[in-house]
Amino acid sequence: MKTPPLSILLFILAAVLGAAGQFFYKTGAGKTSGKLLSYLNAWLLGGVLCYIAVMVLFVAAFKKGGSLSVLYPIYASTFIWAAIISYLAYSTPIRPANIVGMALLVAGMYLMGK
């Protein structure tokens, strides 16, 4: 079965939203006080919405067709998007070893899609 380009694009978008969800969770966690109601802050709810969107995109991508073994490795790019968001939001450095790891992830995604 050939994986449609739209399914691939939906998974790339899901990966970006998954990384954004982690950013919202990290930021939202810093806004909590330990009290139960403090966990209902906008940042954490934004993270939940991102993950709901990820699930919807997964379903839409699978509905369009395509192999799980092709699509799911694309979601591994979440790690790359998270590093970029972390760099932009928190000035977390991206070191040469991180770049090598990202290149290996991309190579793995390519090989899994073969």
Side-chain angles (χ1 to χ4, degrees):
M1 164 183 3
K2 185 156 172 58
T3 301
L6 180 57
S7 292
I8 292 170
L9 287 174
L10 292 173
F11 256 72
I12 291 170
L13 181 57
V16 172
L17 285 173
Q22 288 300 312
F23 163 74
F24 288 130
Y25 284 159
K26 178 172 176 46
T27 303
K31 308 284 185 192
T32 62
S33 65
K35 295 180 181 174
L36 186 58
L37 286 180
S38 71
Y39 287 88
L40 295 177
N41 66 59
W43 291 99
L44 293 177
L45 294 176
V48 170
L49 290 175
C50 282
Y51 276 94
I52 290 170
V54 167
M55 290 183 339
V56 169
L57 289 168
F58 277 9
V59 171
F62 290 133
K63 181 83 172 153
K64 296 288 181 193
S67 169
L68 182 62
S69 65
V70 171
L71 292 173
Y72 203 72
I74 293 167
Y75 192 68
S77 69
T78 300
F79 296 107
I80 297 169
W81 296 114
I84 293 167
I85 291 171
S86 183
Y87 173 77
L88 295 172
Y90 306 113
S91 299
T92 304
I94 298 176
R95 297 187 171 90
N98 303 128
I99 300 293
V100 170
M102 291 176 191
L104 289 170
L105 275 171
V106 171
M109 287 185 284
Y110 172 77
L111 291 173
M112 288 292 296
K114 286 290 188 186

